[in-house]
Structures are given as structure tokens and as C-alpha cells.
Amino acid sequence: MRDTLKTAYIIARREFAAYFATPLAAVFLTIFVAATGAFAFYIGGFFERGQANLFAFFAYHPWLYLLLVPAVAMRLWAEERKSGTIELLMTLPVSPTEAILGKFAAAWAFIGLALILTFPMWITVNILGNPDNGVILTSYIGSFLVAGAFLAIGSFISALTKNQVIAFILSATICFLFLTSGMELVQNVLRSWTPRIVSDAVASMSFLSHYEEITRGVIGLDSIVFFASLIVFALFANAIAVSQKKSA
Amino acid sequence: MAALIEATALRKTFGAITAVDGISLSVRKGEVLGFLGPNGAGKSTTMKMITGFLEPDAGSARICGHDVLEEPKAAKAKLGYLPEGAPAYGDMTPATFLRFIAEIRGFEGNDIKSRVIAAISRAGLDSVVDQRIETLSKGYKRRVGIAQAILHDPPVLIMDEPTDGLDPNQKHHVRELIREMAPHKAIIVSTHILEEVEAVCTRAVVIAKGRIVADGTAEDLLRRAPTHGAVTLRVLQADAERIAKTLADLASVARVETTAEPDGRSLIRALPKADAAPAKAIGDLLRRESLSFEEIYVERGKLDDVFREITTSTQA
Ligand SMILES: Nc1ncnc2c1ncn2[C@@H]1O[C@H](COP(=O)(O)OP(=O)(O)OP(=O)(O)O)[C@@H](O)[C@H]1O
Ligand SMILES: [Mg+2]
């Protein structure tokens, strides 16, 4: 176990540095910080609401993740397969689990960094009023969890193809389905041709419902279990994909 | 002593293509096995299975006694592998890349630094240590791959075309390196350069269409050359016809060719019958009959000829 964590950590460090070796990191961080702010001010009506909280800010995170997280995830495995470095990595004394954990952790930490860089929002709202900082903290955690779930899905998809563009489009689509599965529109369609139990099951998979709950300040066990099991499941599928499709 | 690399009846198909069709190999410490075969013969695929990267459809591979699929970590810890094309993380520099490899290999503290420094100097990377790998020339990329493979001084070394893309000096350097490491390791190198086999390999295995078609020393292979053991004499043109006739009568000689040279001499070439070595008989004959000649030499044959013959004719 210690070895697993240590190896995963070494891989994570390399991956994390790799984001900064290209302009990707700068582009991503800038866009994320700018876009979360812009959404909050212009679309969310941050000022007009006249309330000292960050609801308007957090509400748009999942939608932003829809584009940005697949962009972070797409290179994780597709690039290794394309450049052939997967052959190097998988013939080092590294297990697929360690490699997957390391890569996932690096990408998640990268998004965590992006979230941390939005701290001016938090400072602003604290200057303007007396927000409930507990709710803000849980919202940050919720946002981070949603990103983690998207990322795990993206990492899995990335292991299925050499082509980063395909990886991007597929994971964005799948994440979109997960995100919207609780919405009325989707539910109406589902209810018309599936039994109740199916549409309810699909609704319970919705990221948005869980996320909204968390941003109201309630981190329920069910939400934690939901996101955690989704991440574990996607990473598990990722491990299978990596060992099955190494060369083809 | 047990073999350090042991492959048993490896088989791999990709859809309709049978890339490897029952290859067994065992390599002991001190052996350098040259792995030869035409493009698409299955060399790389075989190596990928031996190193545990590809799962074979049938058969198994062991490194230092560890099955590569059942005890992958133990096996891979004993292995240094240069994959085909020497892949490496392009966004890193040789220094940071080798450091990463050393950490993954479990080195700690000062060991990391000393291992990296040693690998850099052995692979001749000193001048490019801080340049991004993706901007290196092909030969330097290959050297990064070699440095990575030998960094932990593994008992088993498998290299897929290590000298591909290297300049003659560097080729020589890599061959020296292999020769130097050979006594303490079991090594497999694939190559398309046949002199390499004579230069560094203790043994050559030739495969074609996924099967082994020859396995022996370079000398064994040469023995299969049609011109192996052929004897050529340089004689005065006046004597040529008589000598050629006498040689042709020998039991071990299949055929005699005579070519006239502009300087009044002739070259007589006596080609051996299969598996025969007429050199001694010819020597005896020349002495007995007091036939005079100016030069005499015995041909060893060309590996290229052998290679072409066994990889094209053995199978339909
Ligand atoms: N991933 C793959 N999918 C489909 N076919 C493959 C795959 N990998 C190898 N092959 C096929 O298997 C056969 C053997 O290929 P391999 O790379 O082992 O040859 P090789 O002996 O290394 O050739 P070269 O000298 O050109 O490197 C070829 O016909 C190749 O097309
Ligand atoms: Mg090859």
C-alpha cells in the first residue's frame, strides 16, 4: 500500500509538471478563473442579487467543467498511447492502478489549483458583506467533487482511444448526460417510454441535483457516496481499459 | 545456471494476422542474443510479450524466474527495456526524465543523482541534458531510451533496435557498451544490421513470419551461406585451366568458376558442396601436385546472403 501511494505520487508529480510544460496550464487557469467570474457577474447577476453569497458563482461551475474538464482529461491516456510512452510506463515496475491513481490525482490537483485561484471571489464577497463561509467551503468541496467525477469519466474515455479529439467529444457528451439526467426535460422523455424505476434511477445519477444540495450547504452522505463511488467505478473501468487496450 | 530470460511457445495474433507463432527462447547470463528478421517478422511483438507489455494469446515469459504476468513488478524490476522507437516524455528533459525513471525504480536520496549522472555519461547525453526531449535529434532520443534502460543496471536487458538512427561513432559506442555489460547480464537486441550480430552477439536467432528459422552463433549462420568455405586462388593465366580442372575433380567441390584478370592472372573460385569444407583438400592437392599460386583465401560467406535465403525460402 505504501509503495502504491509512493509510486502513484511520483507519477502524479510528473503529470502535474507536464500540464505546465505546455501552454495548456496557463490557458486553462486563465479561462477558468475569468469564466467563473464572468458567469457569476453577468449571467448570475452577482451584484443585482444584493446578497453576500457565492450562489451565482458556483451555479455555473458544472457547466464550465463540461468543456474544461474533458480538455484536461483527454491527454491523460490518449497521449501516452499515441506517443508510445505507455509501453515505457507499463514496463516499468508500475501497476495500472498506480498509474491511474497518479494521473487522476495530478489532474484533480490541477483543477483544485484552478479553484483555489478563484479566491478573489471569496475575498470580494467577504468585503461586501458577511457571507456564510461554511456554505462557501462546502460549495468549493462540491465543485471539486463534480470536477473529480467528470475527470474520472474523462480519464476512462481517454484510455479507450489514441485520438484526443475523440476523447474530448465523448467525455463531454457523457458528462453532459450525467449532468442533465435529473432535469425535467430529460426526465419527461425517459418517463414516456421507461418504467418509473428507471427514470428515478437516472434522476438519482444527476450531478446537478447532488451539487445543488451541496451548494446550499448540505453535504449529505448520499452525495459523498455518490461522487466517490462514481469516481471509483470510472477509475476501475479505466484500469480495465488500460490493461486491455494497451497497444491496439 | 538457469536462464534469466525464458519465453515459452509465445503466440500472438492481431485479427487475421499471426504476428508471433510459437516462439520459445531462453537467454542465460553472459549471452547477447541478436534477434533478426525481416520487417513485420514479429520481433517487436515478441519483445513486447517477453517484457509483459502485451499479453500473449498463448505461452508465457519469465524474467529472472518471475512470470511477467503473474509477478509483473518483480519481473519488471529486473528488466531494462528499450521499446521500439525509444518513446520518452517529450515535454521533459533527459535530466528530469531520467530522474523520474530513477524514482520509479525505487532509488532514493543521493542514489537518484548518481544513477542519473552515470546513465547520462554512459549514453553520451552530457551535451543535451537540459534540452526538451521532443527537440532532440533522432539519435539523441535513442540514447535517452538507452540511458533509461540501463539506469538501474538490470540483470536483463531487452532493446528493440538500439542502434537505429545512431551515427557510426555512436553505433560503435553502443556496441562497446553492450559488450561491456554482457558478462553480467542476459541481453536481447533486435537489429537489421547484420554486422552487429558478428560484432556483439554471442548468438543469433532469426525469425520469419512469427517463427524461428535459425538459432545459432554468427559462425553457425555463416556456415549456411552458399559461399561459406569457398576457396579462391590467384594464379598465372597459363596455369588456370589445368588447376581449375584438378580442383573440379575434388569430391568436396561443387563447381569451379574462372575469371581472367587484365594483369595476366586468373581468379579461380572453388565453391563447396553443401556442408563441405574443401579448403584442406585443396591445400593438400596444391602441395601434392606442386601447383603454384600467388594468393589464396577462404571465404566466410555473407550474413546478408544467409539472411535472405532463410527468411525467404524456408516458408512459402
Ligand atoms: N497492434 C497491432 N495491431 C495489428 N497488427 C499488428 C500490431 N502490432 C503488430 N502487428 C502486426 O504484427 C506483425 C509483426 O509486427 P512486429 O512489429 O512485431 O514486426 P517486427 O519484426 O518488429 O518488424 P520491424 O523489423 O519492421 O520492426 C506485423 O504484420 C504487424 O503489422
Ligand atoms: Mg520491430
Side-chain angles (χ1 to χ4, degrees):
Chain A
M1 189 63 198
R2 235 197 104 249
D3 272 2
T4 301
L5 290 182
K6 184 154 183 227
T7 310
Y9 171 70
I10 296 168
I11 291 176
R13 239 184 20 206
R14 197 208 76 73
E15 287 294 329
F16 193 76
Y19 282 113
F20 291 89
T22 64
L24 176 71
V27 170
F28 181 90
L29 294 175
T30 312
I31 291 185
F32 184 81
V33 173
T36 47
F39 274 130
F41 289 119
Y42 295 110
I43 305 176
F46 178 72
F47 287 120
E48 290 80 2
R49 293 165 71 112
Q51 292 164 344
N53 61 43
L54 286 178
F55 284 141
F57 167 70
F58 283 112
Y60 295 97
H61 281 197
W63 300 101
L64 208 59
Y65 287 149
L66 212 46
L67 280 182
L68 294 182
V69 171
V72 171
M74 67 183 186
R75 53 168 291 281
L76 283 178
W77 290 98
E79 192 168 278
E80 294 264 0
R81 295 207 11 229
K82 178 112 196 169
S83 67
T85 44
I86 189 166
E87 186 166 354
L88 180 81
L89 185 64
M90 291 292 128
T91 51
L92 289 169
V94 170
S95 70
T97 312
E98 289 159 353
I100 285 162
L101 283 181
K103 278 170 173 285
F104 175 74
W108 209 11
F110 181 68
I111 292 175
L113 175 67
L115 273 178
I116 289 173
L117 290 179
T118 61
F119 71 91
M121 288 298 296
W122 174 71
I123 293 178
T124 311
V125 77
N126 268 283
I127 291 173
L128 295 177
N130 284 313
D132 183 341
N133 281 320
V135 172
I136 292 180
L137 181 66
T138 56
S139 300
Y140 266 116
I141 294 173
S143 174
F144 190 55
L145 284 174
V146 171
F150 279 10
L151 201 54
I153 293 169
S155 177
F156 163 55
I157 303 290
S158 162
L160 295 176
T161 173
K162 274 182 195 178
N163 188 318
Q164 298 201 26
V165 177
I166 293 178
F168 176 85
I169 293 172
L170 271 183
S171 16
T173 309
I174 292 177
C175 291
F176 178 75
L177 293 178
F178 267 106
L179 195 59
T180 55
S181 65
M183 289 182 145
E184 272 311 303
L185 185 74
V186 179
Q187 282 291 307
N188 284 341
V189 174
L190 270 181
R191 281 198 204 105
S192 64
W193 55 273
T194 58
R196 181 84 203 194
I197 182 159
V198 174
S199 56
D200 283 355
V202 170
S204 73
M205 301 287 276
S206 167
F207 285 21
L208 270 189
S209 356
H210 288 283
Y211 180 61
E212 275 165 7
E213 207 176 293
I214 297 177
T215 50
R216 281 198 299 269
V218 210
I219 299 201
L221 192 63
D222 64 326
S223 296
I224 301 272
V225 169
F226 170 75
F227 285 118
S229 47
L230 203 128
I231 290 172
V232 170
F233 180 77
L235 292 183
F236 186 72
N238 194 348
I240 293 173
V242 167
S243 21
Q244 290 297 310
K245 298 204 53 166
K246 277 186 292 204
S247 63
Chain B
M1 191 183 55
L4 296 186
I5 306 173
E6 205 149 15
T8 321
L10 291 173
R11 231 185 101 81
K12 183 80 193 175
T13 54
F14 297 104
I17 306 169
T18 303
V20 175
D21 191 8
I23 286 188
S24 299
L25 284 175
S26 87
V27 188
R28 294 160 182 278
K29 184 166 155 181
E31 270 189 302
V32 180
L33 187 147
F35 205 33
L36 308 172
N39 291 132
K43 302 179 295 295
S44 299
T45 308
T46 305
M47 291 170 133
K48 285 175 202 205
M49 290 190 282
I50 295 177
T51 56
F53 175 66
L54 269 189
E55 201 170 318
D57 295 341
S60 63
R62 289 170 168 276
I63 286 175
C64 296
H66 305 290
D67 187 290
V68 293
L69 295 179
E70 275 154 33
E71 304 170 79
K73 275 214 171 180
K76 287 165 187 176
K78 306 264 186 212
L79 166 73
Y81 176 41
L82 171 71
E84 185 167 42
Y89 295 109
D91 53 55
M92 303 179 98
T93 66
T96 55
F97 175 66
L98 292 174
R99 198 184 159 83
F100 166 70
I101 298 289
E103 287 175 356
I104 285 280
R105 292 269 180 208
F107 293 106
E108 291 186 352
N110 283 335
D111 276 355
I112 296 179
K113 208 169 174 187
S114 60
R115 287 281 166 176
V116 170
I117 290 172
I120 284 173
S121 86
R122 291 195 99 172
L125 286 168
D126 306 79
S127 59
V128 298
V129 275
D130 292 319
Q131 194 180 332
R132 279 163 76 108
I133 293 175
E134 63 193 0
T135 68
L136 294 178
S137 71
K138 180 171 157 189
Y140 274 104
K141 277 185 192 151
R142 185 74 35 151
R143 295 190 213 183
V144 172
I146 293 172
Q148 160 278 124
I150 62 174
L151 181 128
H152 56 305
D153 196 18
V156 169
L157 193 55
I158 297 182
M159 300 197 273
D160 203 346
E161 302 191 22
T163 54
D164 182 43
L166 298 184
D167 64 50
N169 299 336
Q170 196 58 28
K171 265 188 191 132
H172 177 78
H173 177 78
V174 168
R175 287 174 195 163
E176 286 288 301
L177 193 64
I178 294 174
R179 250 200 303 265
E180 208 177 286
M181 295 185 297
H184 320 287
K185 298 186 194 306
I187 302 177
I188 299 182
V189 281
S190 77
T191 178
H192 287 297
I193 305 167
L194 296 172
E195 312 96 75
E196 208 148 80
V197 177
E198 290 188 270
V200 298
C201 299
T202 59
R203 194 177 138 203
V205 166
V206 185
I207 67 169
K209 298 188 174 131
R211 291 171 193 243
I212 295 182
V213 290
D215 179 353
T217 60
E219 196 56 37
D220 291 337
L221 282 184
L222 283 173
R223 236 186 304 255
R224 300 168 71 153
T227 56
H228 178 81
V231 176
T232 303
L233 294 171
R234 202 174 140 84
V235 299
L236 287 173
Q237 226 151 53
D239 300 334
E241 202 179 328
R242 189 164 54 97
I243 296 177
K245 218 175 209 134
T246 336
L247 292 186
D249 289 342
L250 283 172
S252 52
V253 173
R255 197 156 50 85
V256 178
E257 293 166 355
T258 312
T259 32
E261 300 265 284
D263 59 356
R265 311 289 193 274
S266 281
L267 286 180
I268 301 177
R269 189 178 190 211
L271 292 153
K273 286 192 177 144
D275 295 322
K280 183 171 174 353
I282 291 174
D284 290 347
L285 180 78
L286 292 173
R287 217 169 304 122
R288 203 168 54 238
E289 307 273 323
S290 313
L291 299 170
S292 68
F293 57 89
E294 292 183 349
E295 275 173 24
I296 180 168
Y297 58 88
V298 182
E299 288 178 43
R300 299 184 61 220
K302 284 201 198 116
L303 272 179
D304 293 50
D305 296 336
V306 182
F307 181 82
R308 199 173 320 116
E309 176 162 326
I310 58 186
T311 56
T312 52
S313 72
T314 337
Q315 282 171 321

Short mmCIF file of all heavy atoms in Angstrom, two decimals, chain B residues 7-13 18-25 46 49 56-60 207 209-213:
data_model
loop_
_atom_site.label_atom_id
_atom_site.label_comp_id
_atom_site.label_asym_id
_atom_site.label_seq_id
_atom_site.Cartn_x
_atom_site.Cartn_y
_atom_site.Cartn_z
N ALA B 7 11.25 -17.60 -22.58
CA ALA B 7 9.96 -17.45 -23.27
C ALA B 7 9.55 -18.81 -23.77
O ALA B 7 10.37 -19.54 -24.33
CB ALA B 7 10.09 -16.48 -24.43
N THR B 8 8.31 -19.16 -23.53
CA THR B 8 7.84 -20.48 -23.93
C THR B 8 6.64 -20.38 -24.86
O THR B 8 5.61 -19.86 -24.47
CB THR B 8 7.44 -21.30 -22.68
OG1 THR B 8 8.37 -21.03 -21.64
CG2 THR B 8 7.43 -22.79 -22.99
N ALA B 9 6.82 -20.87 -26.05
CA ALA B 9 5.72 -21.01 -27.02
C ALA B 9 4.82 -19.79 -27.12
O ALA B 9 3.61 -19.89 -27.07
CB ALA B 9 4.89 -22.26 -26.68
N LEU B 10 5.44 -18.61 -27.26
CA LEU B 10 4.65 -17.38 -27.35
C LEU B 10 3.89 -17.32 -28.67
O LEU B 10 4.43 -17.65 -29.72
CB LEU B 10 5.56 -16.16 -27.23
CG LEU B 10 6.19 -15.92 -25.87
CD1 LEU B 10 7.19 -14.78 -25.93
CD2 LEU B 10 5.10 -15.63 -24.83
N ARG B 11 2.68 -16.86 -28.57
CA ARG B 11 1.83 -16.73 -29.75
C ARG B 11 1.01 -15.47 -29.64
O ARG B 11 0.55 -15.12 -28.55
CB ARG B 11 0.86 -17.92 -29.78
CG ARG B 11 0.82 -18.67 -31.09
CD ARG B 11 -0.27 -19.73 -31.01
NE ARG B 11 -1.44 -19.22 -31.71
CZ ARG B 11 -1.56 -19.26 -33.04
NH1 ARG B 11 -0.62 -19.80 -33.77
NH2 ARG B 11 -2.62 -18.76 -33.61
N LYS B 12 0.88 -14.75 -30.74
CA LYS B 12 0.05 -13.55 -30.70
C LYS B 12 -0.56 -13.30 -32.08
O LYS B 12 0.14 -13.30 -33.08
CB LYS B 12 0.89 -12.33 -30.30
CG LYS B 12 0.11 -11.05 -30.17
CD LYS B 12 -0.61 -10.99 -28.84
CE LYS B 12 -1.65 -9.89 -28.81
NZ LYS B 12 -2.42 -9.93 -27.54
N THR B 13 -1.86 -13.12 -32.09
CA THR B 13 -2.50 -12.78 -33.35
C THR B 13 -3.18 -11.42 -33.21
O THR B 13 -3.64 -11.06 -32.13
CB THR B 13 -3.57 -13.80 -33.75
OG1 THR B 13 -4.49 -13.93 -32.66
CG2 THR B 13 -2.99 -15.16 -34.06
N THR B 18 -1.19 -13.42 -37.90
CA THR B 18 -0.48 -14.11 -36.83
C THR B 18 0.90 -13.49 -36.75
O THR B 18 1.76 -13.74 -37.59
CB THR B 18 -0.38 -15.61 -37.13
OG1 THR B 18 -1.70 -16.11 -37.31
CG2 THR B 18 0.28 -16.35 -35.97
N ALA B 19 1.08 -12.65 -35.75
CA ALA B 19 2.35 -11.90 -35.66
C ALA B 19 3.46 -12.77 -35.09
O ALA B 19 4.59 -12.73 -35.54
CB ALA B 19 2.16 -10.66 -34.80
N VAL B 20 3.12 -13.57 -34.09
CA VAL B 20 4.10 -14.46 -33.47
C VAL B 20 3.46 -15.83 -33.35
O VAL B 20 2.34 -15.96 -32.85
CB VAL B 20 4.53 -13.93 -32.08
CG1 VAL B 20 5.45 -14.92 -31.39
CG2 VAL B 20 5.19 -12.57 -32.21
N ASP B 21 4.17 -16.82 -33.81
CA ASP B 21 3.55 -18.13 -33.95
C ASP B 21 4.40 -19.20 -33.26
O ASP B 21 5.06 -20.00 -33.92
CB ASP B 21 3.40 -18.41 -35.46
CG ASP B 21 2.54 -19.63 -35.73
OD1 ASP B 21 1.95 -20.16 -34.76
OD2 ASP B 21 2.48 -20.05 -36.89
N GLY B 22 4.41 -19.17 -31.94
CA GLY B 22 5.11 -20.23 -31.21
C GLY B 22 6.60 -20.00 -31.11
O GLY B 22 7.40 -20.81 -31.58
N ILE B 23 7.00 -18.90 -30.48
CA ILE B 23 8.43 -18.64 -30.31
C ILE B 23 8.86 -18.96 -28.89
O ILE B 23 8.26 -18.49 -27.92
CB ILE B 23 8.75 -17.18 -30.69
CG1 ILE B 23 8.69 -17.05 -32.21
CG2 ILE B 23 10.11 -16.76 -30.16
CD1 ILE B 23 9.17 -15.74 -32.76
N SER B 24 9.89 -19.77 -28.77
CA SER B 24 10.48 -20.07 -27.47
C SER B 24 11.94 -19.63 -27.50
O SER B 24 12.64 -19.85 -28.48
CB SER B 24 10.43 -21.57 -27.19
OG SER B 24 9.10 -22.02 -27.16
N LEU B 25 12.35 -19.02 -26.41
CA LEU B 25 13.73 -18.52 -26.34
C LEU B 25 14.21 -18.68 -24.92
O LEU B 25 13.42 -18.53 -23.98
CB LEU B 25 13.76 -17.02 -26.61
CG LEU B 25 13.62 -16.49 -28.02
CD1 LEU B 25 13.58 -14.97 -27.94
CD2 LEU B 25 14.78 -16.95 -28.87
N THR B 46 7.23 -10.01 -30.20
CA THR B 46 7.79 -10.98 -29.28
C THR B 46 8.39 -10.27 -28.06
O THR B 46 8.17 -10.67 -26.91
CB THR B 46 8.91 -11.80 -29.97
OG1 THR B 46 8.38 -12.39 -31.14
CG2 THR B 46 9.44 -12.88 -29.05
N MET B 49 5.88 -9.08 -25.63
CA MET B 49 5.32 -10.14 -24.79
C MET B 49 6.31 -10.56 -23.70
O MET B 49 5.93 -10.80 -22.56
CB MET B 49 4.90 -11.33 -25.65
CG MET B 49 3.68 -11.01 -26.50
SD MET B 49 3.00 -12.47 -27.28
CE MET B 49 4.13 -12.71 -28.62
N PRO B 56 0.28 -12.45 -24.24
CA PRO B 56 0.26 -13.38 -25.37
C PRO B 56 -1.06 -14.14 -25.43
O PRO B 56 -1.73 -14.30 -24.42
CB PRO B 56 1.42 -14.33 -25.07
CG PRO B 56 1.67 -14.21 -23.61
CD PRO B 56 1.19 -12.86 -23.17
N ASP B 57 -1.42 -14.60 -26.64
CA ASP B 57 -2.61 -15.45 -26.76
C ASP B 57 -2.33 -16.81 -26.15
O ASP B 57 -3.21 -17.48 -25.62
CB ASP B 57 -2.97 -15.64 -28.24
CG ASP B 57 -3.39 -14.32 -28.88
OD1 ASP B 57 -3.73 -13.39 -28.12
OD2 ASP B 57 -3.33 -14.22 -30.11
N ALA B 58 -1.07 -17.23 -26.26
CA ALA B 58 -0.67 -18.50 -25.64
C ALA B 58 0.80 -18.40 -25.30
O ALA B 58 1.52 -17.59 -25.86
CB ALA B 58 -0.92 -19.66 -26.60
N GLY B 59 1.24 -19.24 -24.37
CA GLY B 59 2.64 -19.23 -23.99
C GLY B 59 2.89 -18.30 -22.81
O GLY B 59 1.97 -17.63 -22.32
N SER B 60 4.14 -18.27 -22.35
CA SER B 60 4.44 -17.46 -21.17
C SER B 60 5.88 -16.96 -21.26
O SER B 60 6.67 -17.44 -22.07
CB SER B 60 4.27 -18.30 -19.91
OG SER B 60 5.19 -19.36 -19.93
N ILE B 207 14.02 -14.86 -37.13
CA ILE B 207 12.62 -15.26 -37.26
C ILE B 207 12.06 -14.73 -38.57
O ILE B 207 12.53 -13.75 -39.12
CB ILE B 207 11.74 -14.81 -36.07
CG1 ILE B 207 11.60 -13.29 -36.02
CG2 ILE B 207 12.30 -15.32 -34.76
CD1 ILE B 207 10.55 -12.85 -35.02
N LYS B 209 8.00 -14.54 -40.37
CA LYS B 209 6.56 -14.83 -40.22
C LYS B 209 6.23 -15.43 -38.87
O LYS B 209 5.46 -16.39 -38.77
CB LYS B 209 6.10 -15.74 -41.33
CG LYS B 209 6.29 -15.07 -42.67
CD LYS B 209 5.69 -15.83 -43.80
CE LYS B 209 5.80 -15.01 -45.07
NZ LYS B 209 6.34 -15.75 -46.19
N GLY B 210 6.83 -14.90 -37.83
CA GLY B 210 6.46 -15.31 -36.49
C GLY B 210 7.06 -16.61 -36.01
O GLY B 210 6.72 -17.08 -34.92
N ARG B 211 7.95 -17.21 -36.80
CA ARG B 211 8.58 -18.45 -36.35
C ARG B 211 10.09 -18.35 -36.40
O ARG B 211 10.64 -17.64 -37.24
CB ARG B 211 8.19 -19.62 -37.25
CG ARG B 211 6.76 -20.02 -37.15
CD ARG B 211 6.51 -21.02 -38.26
NE ARG B 211 5.09 -21.21 -38.41
CZ ARG B 211 4.49 -22.37 -38.20
NH1 ARG B 211 5.20 -23.42 -37.87
NH2 ARG B 211 3.20 -22.48 -38.33
N ILE B 212 10.73 -19.12 -35.52
CA ILE B 212 12.19 -19.15 -35.54
C ILE B 212 12.65 -19.99 -36.73
O ILE B 212 12.22 -21.12 -36.90
CB ILE B 212 12.74 -19.74 -34.23
CG1 ILE B 212 12.37 -18.81 -33.07
CG2 ILE B 212 14.25 -19.94 -34.32
CD1 ILE B 212 12.89 -19.24 -31.72
N VAL B 213 13.51 -19.39 -37.56
CA VAL B 213 14.01 -20.16 -38.69
C VAL B 213 15.50 -20.49 -38.55
O VAL B 213 16.02 -21.30 -39.30
CB VAL B 213 13.75 -19.45 -40.04
CG1 VAL B 213 12.27 -19.47 -40.36
CG2 VAL B 213 14.27 -18.03 -40.03
#
